[in-house]
């Protein structure tokens, strides 16, 4: 476990984990998440919620990235339960496909090769094949996708070592040589981890896939029977990795290197040779072409030349249509297996060439701005990627521009390879794409920006290429050709289709990276017979678009990704010959692959608990006593399609009707949550298959898909190799379940990558622990009083803020915006509580309100942190589980009261800053003595403006009129202000005021232009004088209208009071504490004219740290003011000679004589004794 540091103590985490253990035991005993369809009920969206997460692949433990996405389901269920809905969250386990079988076979081979336990060669290092493409690939994630084994395990390790990294011992690892052991080991471990986080799952409905689970196997076979009946599945040629030596497709388990590599699609651009001469002469009557493989067909408008490597071997090969193509021998071999040659596997070479032979050849390139371009030398072309022939687009390729610039600038270089000036010098970059920040010659711009000197600056060129290609793909727009104005993303497939239809290009495939079979053969991409789902079928595509139209995607970006996928998606191979899975029902030599058996399985969840018998593989009898062999096509048709009851079946009618009722109630799936990378494949396939299975029943189509970004860990990509990685079980151990859940909720809501910060998780642990302890303190505090019938201003504010935050949290939860819900319903609600506690001061908080806050806080937070909230619920004495309570009903929100409170807080914050500035001594003159310190003020006057000055009102009214017309430009505002005669006198001050108010409009809206507030500022300040005084530690505060300031009052505006400080006269009086062992000291305290004992006590509490509550202070004076203070005190007679000062007494001061007198008689007071009562208030 890395990416997280060790903390000093774990007490709080262990405390939370103990709460979690108890809560989970309670919920398990209650079977709180086991949900069955009711006897009656239609399963409307107002009545039920079914959420699902794509079942994870079972070749390892779940990590924090999985958990982040799972939490979206988890929190949605938590909230909708509180809203009164019946909620179903089922969870299955995926084992279909090649990875598990391949891993098991690897372990078996490693034991055979290296013994048990294996002794691997010390110096052997398996290095992952780097992508050698000359162009960054904008991935189509449904094609050439790494197997999940590679994705999870990483490259460069033996399988045994990978299993070791999971914490397994040798004796355990050898069991994984049996493929079935994987199916028995990881699903229960995964369930255990998910249970530990308190997942709201109905575990009765869990299962594994493949024919290892006969009921699920029957379900998948039924689905494929229906798809074939409806002509959705077809048989034909499909591209696959192929070993010519072995004469068969080369699957992962057949490879010595290149595991997980798939076919990469290129557009092969045909550049016709004009007037072939030399070795290219007389090769055929159908034309000779230089063919270049590109991933960027949209850039062909900008071709200025074609690159070849002078010393590289090339061949001219003859196609079955008579054309002759020039490329590398390796590319010709790939082409020969893709239907281009007369004989499969025969590249039909008609001439062997080297690059020097084809330099300076004149070409006609499709779509190019120039009618004729030439082949030129580039020394960095590689043989193991593409065709060895490279199109040159210097406007948008940094490599091309650097190489072309070198040729232009270096005549000796041109002469060396026989390149004439007219082949190079007239050709400048052609603008074809405009990219934000880079303009319409992006490569030129970035090469200059990075100060790239030549084509040999490989590192800088790689950086430039990444910058230009990715930004160009995602943000670029075409500015040339028939698709001008369209984004590069949209134009790319259209331009490719245009080229292919015009026979100016073809689709060409080769492996993403080098693949070597176990027989030592370098594999190619070949067209092989396969069963495939025809996602390109026009009618099926149109039906799926209708489904998408009514789908809630929760994000415009996700919808656009779906629309884009529907635009390019064609066939998808649904069969394999190796791995785990269900067999095709009509051809059992084929297995159904992993992306095809997982499209409508959400429907199987609705009946799984009735069939699985409490096991993953249905190995035990189920409660309906149904056998897998009983689940015929007719039975499934009845359950899921509403066909007639089967005429011949051993299943009782009641059992059939019960399964049908479960499906009708729970389906469709209301929300499916997934990572956004599954949009181009799994999620789109799910839409297609739902449309195919229920074409005339849109009520069974998925209602919502919520996609999220990947999860970063401490702002970096999670990676086992770097150590920045956390499994689910490690995260729970480190942070507790609720601490982890809190940090995951706070990690992010959008489709952009989220960020799990361990510092946030640690802070969350402290917050949760502190919340529980605070609740305990409040419940034990007997001093809190009820003010329900006579609430204070701050009571009213807090009540309205609670109503507001409850409503905001509700809306955020409803939109699946959990970071926002946490912000409003926990962080901001706690801030409101803390502010309320501070503002209440000596009066204390209202008990009724605080209890309501605790209840509401527990309910709101229970969606995300249910264990802690269950404990708080129990502390409140509630018998039922918090999981079964209802979302509170908020009262109306009086926004005016909240505005008044915000005004007060802003004003006092400003007052504090002004007090700080007031206390700053002036600057010393050069060489002079430092200025004297500033005496602390004792009083203040706050000036309040009811309205703006007349000229400012004119400005505000004008700005409001222009804002309402949509005019916000400062220049236009300035022109309009200049037209106002009444402003001419103030023009120097007008535009600064306009700029100031513009900023306020941006933050607060047009209401900032109101010329007065809709409520009385003076009244708000009057009610909160005590808070102002305590915040500023002043003795008195006067309020006055700003008109008393004259012209100086113009800076005083509605909502922005001004404060002026002053220091009133005082006389120091000695106060002594004579309580034994009190830790309190004697001090000289200033006394002001008219002070009362209460004011002196309050001043004492501010000055003497040991005095916490001024109400507990009592003041005494000596009966004999001369001799009393001089007597040696006796501990047992400390109060002798002292008289309690009456609370109604006032003090007077004489600054001339520096004396204090007390009472109406003016008795001289030379010192006082104070005591602090520790038992009563």
């Amino acid at each position: 476990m890395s990416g997280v540091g060790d903390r000093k103590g774990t007490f709080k985490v262990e405390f939370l984990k103990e709460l979690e253990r108890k809560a989970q035991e309670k919920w398990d005993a209650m079977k709180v998440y086991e949900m069955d369809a009711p006897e009656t009920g239609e399963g409307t969206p107002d009545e039920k919620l079914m959420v699902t997460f794509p079942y994870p692949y079972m070749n390892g433990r779940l990590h924090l990235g999985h958990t982040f996405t799972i939490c979206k389901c988890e929190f949605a269920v938590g909230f909708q339960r509180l809203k009164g809905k019946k909620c179903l969250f089922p969870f299955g386990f995926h084992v279909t496909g090649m990875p598990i079988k391949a891993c098991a076979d690897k372990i078996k081979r490693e034991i055979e090769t290296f013994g048990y336990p294996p002794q691997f060669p010390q110096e052997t290092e398996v290095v992952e094949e780097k992508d050698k493409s000359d162009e960054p690939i904008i991935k189509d994630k449904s094609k050439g996708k790494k197997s999940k084994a590679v994705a999870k395990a990483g490259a460069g390790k033996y399988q045994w070592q990978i299993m070791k990294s999971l914490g397994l011992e040798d004796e355990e690892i050898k069991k994984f040589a049996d493929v079935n052991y994987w199916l028995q080991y990881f699903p229960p471990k995964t369930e255990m981890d998910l249970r530990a986080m308190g997942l709201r799952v109905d575990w009765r409905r869990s299962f594994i896939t493949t024919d290892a689970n006969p009921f699920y196997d029957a379900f998948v076979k039924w689905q494929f029977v229906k798809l074939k009946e409806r002509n959705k599945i077809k048989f034909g040629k499909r591209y696959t990795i192929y070993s010519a030596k072995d004469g068969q497709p080369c699957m992962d388990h057949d490879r010595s290197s290149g595991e997980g590599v798939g076919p990469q699609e290129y557009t092969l651009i045909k550049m016709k040779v004009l007037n072939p001469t030399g070795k290219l002469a007389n090769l055929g009557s159908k034309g000779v072409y230089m063919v270049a493989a590109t991933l960027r067909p949209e850039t062909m408008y900008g071709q200025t030349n074609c690159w070849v490597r002078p010393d590289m071997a090339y061949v001219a090969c003859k196609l079955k249509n008579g054309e002759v193509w020039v490329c590398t021998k390796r590319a010709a071999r790939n082409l020969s297996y893709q239907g281009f040659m007369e004989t499969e596997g025969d590249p039909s070479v008609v001439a062997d060439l080297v690059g020097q032979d084809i330099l300076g050849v004149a070409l006609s390139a499709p779509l190019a701005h120039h009618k004729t371009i030439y082949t030129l030398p580039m020394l960095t072309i590689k043989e193991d990627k593409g065709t060895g022939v490279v199109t040159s687009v210097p406007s948008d390729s940094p490599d091309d521009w650097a190489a072309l610039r070198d040729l232009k600038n270096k005549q000796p270089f041109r002469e060396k390879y026989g390149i004439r000036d007219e082949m190079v010098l007239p050709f400048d970059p052609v603008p074809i794409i405009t990219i934000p920040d880079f303009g319409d010659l992006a490569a030129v711009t970035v090469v200059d920006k990075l100060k790239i000197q030549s084509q040999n600056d490989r590192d800088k060129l790689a950086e430039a290429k990444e910058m230009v290609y990715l930004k160009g793909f995602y943000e670029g727009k075409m500015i040339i050709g028939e698709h001008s104005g369209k984004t590069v993303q949209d134009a790319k497939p259209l331009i490719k289709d245009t080229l292919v239809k015009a026979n100016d290009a073809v689709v060409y495939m080769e492996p993403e990276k080098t693949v070597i079979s176990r027989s030592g053969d370098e594999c190619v991409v070949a067209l092989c017979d396969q069963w495939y789902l025809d996602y390109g079928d026009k009618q099926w595509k149109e039906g799926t678009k209708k489904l998408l139209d009514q789908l809630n995607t929760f994000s415009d970006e996700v919808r656009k990704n779906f629309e884009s996928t529907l635009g390019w998606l064609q066939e998808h191979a649904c069969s394999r010959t190796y791995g785990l899975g269900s067999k095709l029902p009509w051809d059992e030599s084929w297995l159904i692959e992993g992306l095809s058996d997982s499209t409508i399985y959400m429907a199987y969840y609705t009946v799984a608990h009735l069939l699985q018998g409490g096991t993953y593989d249905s190995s035990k009898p189920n409660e309906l006593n149904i056998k897998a062999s009983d689940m015929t096509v007719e039975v499934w048709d009845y359950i899921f399609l509403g066909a007639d009851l089967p005429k011949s079946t051993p299943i009782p009618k009641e059992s059939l009707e019960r399964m049908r009722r479960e499906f009708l109630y729970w389906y469709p799936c209301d929300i499916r949550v997934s990572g956004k990378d599954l949009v181009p494949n799994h999620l789109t396939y799910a839409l297609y298959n739902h449309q195919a299975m229920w074409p005339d029943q849109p009520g069974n189509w998925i209602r919502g898909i919520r996609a999220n970004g990947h999860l970063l860990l401490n702002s970096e990509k999670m990676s086992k190799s770097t150590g920045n990685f956390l499994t689910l079980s490690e995260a729970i151990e480190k942070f507790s379940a609720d601490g982890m859940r809190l940090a995951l909720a706070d990690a992010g809501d959008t489709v952009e990558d989220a960020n799990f910060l361990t510092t946030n998780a640690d802070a969350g642990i402290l917050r949760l622990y502190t919340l529980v302890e605070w609740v305990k303190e409040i419940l034990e505090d007997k001093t809190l009083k009820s003010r329900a019938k006579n609430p204070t201003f701050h009571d009213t504010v807090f009540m309205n803020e609670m109503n507001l935050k409850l409503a905001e949290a509700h809306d955020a939860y409803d939109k699946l915006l959990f970071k926002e819900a946490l912000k409003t319903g926990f962080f901001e609600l706690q801030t409101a509580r803390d502010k309320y506690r501070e503002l209440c001061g000596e009066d204390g908080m209202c008990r009724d309100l605080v209890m309501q806050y605790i209840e509401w806080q527990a309910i709101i937070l229970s969606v995300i942190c249910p264990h802690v909230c269950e404990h708080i619920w129990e502390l409140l004495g509630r018998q039922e589980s918090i999981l079964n309570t209802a979302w509170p009903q908020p009262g109306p929100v009086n926004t005016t009261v909240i505005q008044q409170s915000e005004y007060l807080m802003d004003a006092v914050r400003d007052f504090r800053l002004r007090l700080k500035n007031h206390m700053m001594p002036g600057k010393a003159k050069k060489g002079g003595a430092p200025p004297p310190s500033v005496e602390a003020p004792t009083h203040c006057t706050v000036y309040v403006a009811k309205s703006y000055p007349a000229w400012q009102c004119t400005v505000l009214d004008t700005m409001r009129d222009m804002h309402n017309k949509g005019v916000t430009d400062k220049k236009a505002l300035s022109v309009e202000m200049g037209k106002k005669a009444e402003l001419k006198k103030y023009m120097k001050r007008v535009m600064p005021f306009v700029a100031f108010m513009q900023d306020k409009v941006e933050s607060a809206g047009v209401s900032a232009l109101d010329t007065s507030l809709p409520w009385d500022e003076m009244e708000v300040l009057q009610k909160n004088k005590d808070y102002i005084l305590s915040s500023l530690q002043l003795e008195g505060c006067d309020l006055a209208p700003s008109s008393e300031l004259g012209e100086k009052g113009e800076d005083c505006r509605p909502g922005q009071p001004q404060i002026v400080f002053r220091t009133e006269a005082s006389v120091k009086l000695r106060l002594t504490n004579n309580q034994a062992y009190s830790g309190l000291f004697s001090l000289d305290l200033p006394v002001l004219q008219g002070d009362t004992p209460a004011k002196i006590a309050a001043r004492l509490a501010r000055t003497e740290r040991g005095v916490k509550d001024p109400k507990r202070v009592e003041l005494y004076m000596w009966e004999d003011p001369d001799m009393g203070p001089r007597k040696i005190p006796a501990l047992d007679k400390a109060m002798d000679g002292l008289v309690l000062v009456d609370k109604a007494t006032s003090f007077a001061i004489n600054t001339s004589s520096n004396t204090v007198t007390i009472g109406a008689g003016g008795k001289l007071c030379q010192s006082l004794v104070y005591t602090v009562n520790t038992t009563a208030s």
Side-chain angles (χ1 to χ4, degrees), residues 1073-1085:
N1073 179 266
N1074 64 358
Q1075 292 171 282
Y1077 316 117
S1078 68
L1080 298 172
F1081 299 92
S1082 298
L1083 72 163
D1084 293 325
L1085 195 72

Side-chain angles (χ1 to χ4, degrees), residues 235-238 240 249 526-532 575 577 590:
F235 189 75
K237 299 285 187 181
R238 295 285 303 158
T240 190
L527 275 169
C528 299
D529 288 333
Q530 277 188 324
W531 292 98
Y532 63 90
S575 57
T577 56
W590 296 92

Side-chain angles (χ1 to χ4, degrees), residues 25 68 91 142 249 280 354 358 467 492 518 565 571 586 603 657 666 709 823 853 1106 1109 1121 1171:
E25 286 179 358
F68 173 65
F91 205 99
S142 72
L280 298 181
V354 291
I358 49 178
M467 290 168 64
K492 179 191 283 283
R518 295 201 174 278
T565 303
E571 301 90 3
W586 59 86
E657 288 176 343
W666 292 116
K823 172 176 167 282
Y853 163 79
D1109 185 357
T1171 62

Side-chain angles (χ1 to χ4, degrees), residues 296 393-398 401 429-449 464 467-469 471-472:
R296 308 186 69 204
V393 185
S395 60
D396 288 80
S397 167
W401 171 234
V430 179
I432 58 174
I433 296 169
T434 181
I435 303 173
D437 303 329
F438 297 161
D440 54 14
L441 292 174
V444 178
T445 300
V446 174
V447 165
D448 290 345
K449 183 178 180 180
M467 290 168 64
V468 173
Y469 285 13
K471 193 172 180 69

Side-chain angles (χ1 to χ4, degrees), residues 821-893:
L822 187 67
K823 172 176 167 282
T824 57
F826 185 46
F827 300 145
E828 291 181 358
L829 188 55
Q830 279 205 332
T831 300
R833 178 207 64 184
D834 294 342
K835 183 183 75 170
Y836 173 59
R837 181 171 52 186
E838 177 188 348
L839 290 169
C840 284
E842 296 177 10
D843 293 334
M845 298 182 289
C846 171
R847 182 172 186 81
D848 302 316
L849 271 182
V850 173
M851 294 305 294
Q852 184 169 329
Y853 163 79
I854 294 172
E855 180 182 321
W856 284 14
Q857 182 66 94
I859 295 172
I860 295 170
L861 189 59
S862 71
V863 174
I864 294 168
C865 303
H867 307 88
V868 165
C869 296
E870 184 73 56
H871 180 67
I872 292 173
W873 207 242
E874 291 173 353
L875 291 176
L876 291 174
R878 305 301 173 85
Q879 297 301 312
E880 82 282 8
S881 170
I882 196 170
L883 302 179
N884 292 330
T885 194
W887 185 266
Q889 290 299 318
V893 178

Side-chain angles (χ1 to χ4, degrees), residues 182-231:
W182 295 75
L183 279 55
Q184 299 163 14
Y185 184 85
F186 283 114
K189 294 287 186 186
T190 302
E191 179 178 338
M192 178 182 72
D193 292 345
L194 292 170
R195 281 182 177 272
M197 73 172 280
L199 207 63
R200 298 174 169 96
V201 161
D202 183 349
W203 292 108
R204 301 173 303 157
R205 299 173 188 260
S206 299
F207 58 86
I208 58 171
T209 60
T210 74
D211 53 8
N213 180 3
F215 282 102
Y216 188 75
D217 183 59
F219 168 76
V220 171
K221 287 181 176 178
W222 163 78
Q223 176 193 352
F224 270 69
V225 166
K226 305 314 289 186
L227 290 172
K228 192 166 185 296
E229 285 177 0
R230 296 172 184 187
N231 203 31

